[in-house]
Amino acid sequence: MPVYVQHEVLGKVNDVFNAETLWQAPGLALFSRRPLLRDLLERSPREHRGRAPTRCFSHITLMLAQDEVDDDRHLTRGARVRDLAQSLTALHQKDFGDLLGSDDVRYDVVGTDALEPGQVEVKFGHAVYLPAAGEQPLYTVETSRDSAIWQAVCPIYPQQRLALIGHDADLASHAVPSWPFGTVGAILLVNDGPDAPIEVQVRPKGAFDCVLDALSGQYLVTARGDPAARLLMRVRRAGSAPIPAPSAKPAAVWKPRAPAGIDSGDTAVPFSHRPAAAPVESDATYAPLARQRVSLVGLALPCLSRYRDTGAVSMEIGLAPSLLLASDGEAAALTFGVNADDQLYALTSTGRQPIAAPASFTPVDARTVELLAVAPAMSDRYCAVLRLPHPIAAPVAGGARFAFGRSAPMLAALRVLDSPRFLHLVSGADSASADRIGLSRSAFSFEAEPNGYLIGRLSATQALYHLDDKLAFVASIGEASVEQPYKLPAGHHLVAGHYVLRFDA
């Protein structure tokens, strides 16, 4: 395997800002006690024919002790660092001009806490690239251990051919946070230009498995024989929006709708293509079962800044490995939260990370959790909507009017946040259910009709929002009442408090 990153230590130097001292020892290099920068570049050409070099490396990163770089910044505003880079560039062009071709010589001088004063390290090679002034990244590379917390690894620039990411900056051009595979192996990214996708390879070949999930656009890297050691990686166009969530799967993967006359609850009823048998006469009285149902399909994360007087510090919603709502005391695979400053974040076993909506997460296998952005008309009350991977449904009888709210028994099973464990308060504040924020005791009434529902607002302070069947904003329901109800079409959604409810006919 070729050496993609040359990483060499020059040793102790009396004056680390003296370019001539770092470039070449006085006298014959043959008798020098240690190789300096010119010798290293000469011994490791970029291309050669036989033993004769035909091209040399031209992008070099120079590392000095952080204290020395800081002192220069404090005393001379970084003038010695700039002079060092410029002087080394001139020496490089003078001694290797015939091996550069059209390549630009670029030096970058950085500080590191890993070195003591007087120590100097250099890094160059096929996978070392320094951008030109003003050059903007073409791609950004991010990694995650759980798809919830993503951390930036490196940019890839339009003229950059290779990038090697791995355990640390000594073994690769860029270190990956929480790299799970030890010091064995790395990931090579090959850029063939703006019109071609980034090519991802494992180095050395077979060090671990790397598979692309075409739906999410994420690479899953796993260690052979150890499925617990895994890494997710995504490569995106710089400045592009997050990868859109996968579109709805074909109907075959969803629960079949129950035939007419059968309760379409959580239990899927297999559909038969055989002709229905003739009805059997019976003395039993026929009572049609309810076909209407209301489903909890999402949870709206509130703007907690509206409720500072309650002492609310944060609100957190955890999902178990099954992607059902985590029960009290159950370890969560992924937790979504919002703090008193209305900042969204995700919590996993690897830590806490700020997030923004819209976004998608894959905390377990290939199952996706979506965090949706809210419409501007709702942004004064809500930060985002967490779409539940497993909606919760309840049947509704037709021909009767029911109420929904904190004190209403109807659809109480859908009020999953009616517990103090979701809402964190300042010390000394009385514990309260998360439903106390945003949901009235009697929020609204609903009555099923053949093609929809009649919605009446029961509290003057209760905010209600109409979303369509795709969860897109339709209207704010402000003037509806029991006497003059709002007509909600079947399959559309209503947002009340933290709950996003779908009303099916």
Side-chain angles (χ1 to χ4, degrees):
M1 184 180 78
V3 178
Y4 292 97
V5 178
Q6 296 275 0
H7 190 277
E8 303 289 347
V9 179
L10 302 186
K12 276 283 188 176
V13 178
N14 292 331
D15 184 2
V16 297
F17 295 104
N18 188 321
E20 288 77 10
T21 303
L22 301 180
W23 182 250
Q24 185 177 20
L28 295 175
L30 179 63
F31 299 102
S32 64
R33 290 180 295 177
R34 64 178 185 273
L36 293 178
L37 184 51
R38 187 188 190 284
D39 308 316
L40 294 174
L41 292 169
E42 197 169 36
R43 297 176 189 181
S44 302
R46 183 183 187 93
E47 296 175 6
H48 54 84
R49 185 178 294 110
R51 295 186 177 181
T54 58
R55 194 175 170 202
C56 72
F57 291 107
S58 58
H59 292 197
I60 292 89
T61 298
L62 201 71
M63 289 161 282
L64 311 179
Q66 187 66 54
D67 288 344
E68 294 180 311
V69 174
D70 290 341
D71 290 343
D72 175 59
R73 180 170 56 87
H74 298 156
L75 300 177
T76 70
R77 298 187 178 183
R80 299 188 72 188
V81 165
R82 292 192 296 273
D83 290 344
L84 175 61
Q86 293 170 1
S87 299
L88 288 173
T89 300
L91 290 170
H92 196 124
Q93 292 171 331
K94 173 178 174 293
D95 289 359
F96 294 114
D98 57 334
L99 301 178
L100 292 174
S102 60
D103 294 344
D104 291 334
V105 177
R106 299 172 190 169
Y107 276 80
D108 186 25
V109 181
V110 298
T112 174
D113 292 324
L115 295 178
E116 297 293 332
Q119 290 182 322
V120 180
E121 295 185 14
V122 295
K123 184 164 66 173
F124 59 91
H126 296 279
V128 175
Y129 181 83
L130 300 177
E135 186 176 5
Q136 297 299 315
L138 179 63
Y139 297 98
T140 57
V141 181
E142 299 171 307
T143 59
S144 172
R145 295 294 302 275
D146 48 30
S147 90
I149 298 178
W150 289 90
Q151 295 177 291
V153 177
C154 67
I156 297 180
Y157 293 90
Q159 300 303 317
Q160 180 179 359
R161 169 68 176 163
L162 303 174
L164 189 72
I165 65 174
H167 178 264
D168 56 36
D170 290 345
L171 302 174
S173 51
H174 300 279
V176 173
S178 303
W179 176 261
F181 308 114
T183 59
V184 177
I187 298 173
L188 182 67
L189 307 173
V190 184
N191 175 23
D192 280 326
D195 298 327
I198 290 291
E199 182 180 342
V200 178
Q201 297 185 4
V202 174
R203 285 292 183 268
K205 186 176 181 180
F208 27 75
D209 296 320
C210 181
V211 179
L212 172 64
D213 181 354
L215 288 178
S216 65
Q218 299 171 5
Y219 292 88
L220 175 61
V221 186
T222 54
R224 294 189 172 182
D226 183 9
R230 73 167 196 161
L231 182 76
L232 294 166
M233 181 184 72
R234 62 189 182 192
V235 182
R236 300 189 293 178
R237 286 273 183 172
S240 65
I243 296 174
S247 58
K249 295 181 174 63
V253 306
W254 297 97
K255 296 178 181 179
R257 183 179 292 275
I262 298 179
D263 180 13
S264 56
D266 288 340
T267 304
V269 180
F271 178 79
S272 174
H273 294 280
R274 296 179 182 178
V280 179
E281 294 186 1
S282 171
D283 294 334
T285 301
Y286 172 73
L289 298 177
R291 294 181 55 202
Q292 293 91 346
R293 60 196 259 166
V294 179
S295 302
L296 175 67
V297 301
L299 297 172
L301 298 174
C303 296
L304 281 188
S305 60
R306 295 176 56 91
Y307 310 100
R308 293 187 190 277
D309 56 346
T310 67
V313 175
S314 64
M315 179 174 168
E316 295 182 350
I317 300 171
L319 299 179
S322 62
L323 296 189
L324 295 170
L325 212 63
S327 59
D328 194 8
E330 184 180 11
L334 175 60
T335 298
F336 294 95
V338 58
N339 64 19
D341 295 322
D342 302 336
Q343 296 173 333
L344 296 169
Y345 59 89
L347 283 171
T348 68
S349 58
T350 60
R352 171 172 168 159
Q353 179 79 12
I355 56 176
S360 62
F361 306 85
T362 313
V364 182
D365 299 329
R367 289 176 288 177
T368 301
V369 181
E370 295 178 70
L371 192 67
L372 308 179
V374 296
M378 300 171 58
S379 61
D380 61 329
R381 290 183 176 271
Y382 301 107
C383 296
V385 170
L386 172 61
R387 191 168 191 168
L388 296 178
H390 302 288
I392 305 171
V396 174
R401 182 184 301 151
F402 302 99
F404 180 82
R406 296 202 321 268
S407 62
M410 189 61 180
L411 302 182
L414 304 188
R415 289 191 287 107
V416 294
L417 301 183
D418 188 17
S419 169
R421 65 189 176 91
F422 297 98
L423 192 63
H424 303 284
L425 307 174
V426 295
S427 178
D430 295 334
S431 63
S433 162
D435 276 359
R436 293 291 298 273
I437 295 179
L439 185 65
S440 302
R441 295 178 62 84
S442 294
F444 64 89
S445 66
F446 61 98
E447 181 178 354
E449 286 193 330
N451 298 317
Y453 288 77
L454 300 178
I455 305 296
R457 194 166 66 146
L458 299 179
S459 171
T461 59
Q462 181 64 60
L464 300 175
Y465 300 96
H466 173 195
L467 309 182
D468 67 10
D469 56 337
K470 301 294 192 300
L471 291 174
F473 178 81
V474 176
S476 176
I477 305 175
E479 302 300 327
S481 64
V482 175
E483 293 74 21
Q484 294 182 326
Y486 182 90
K487 181 64 177 290
L488 187 75
H492 284 217
H493 301 79
L494 188 70
V495 181
H498 310 303
Y499 302 110
V500 183
L501 304 171
R502 184 179 67 236
F503 289 76
D504 293 315

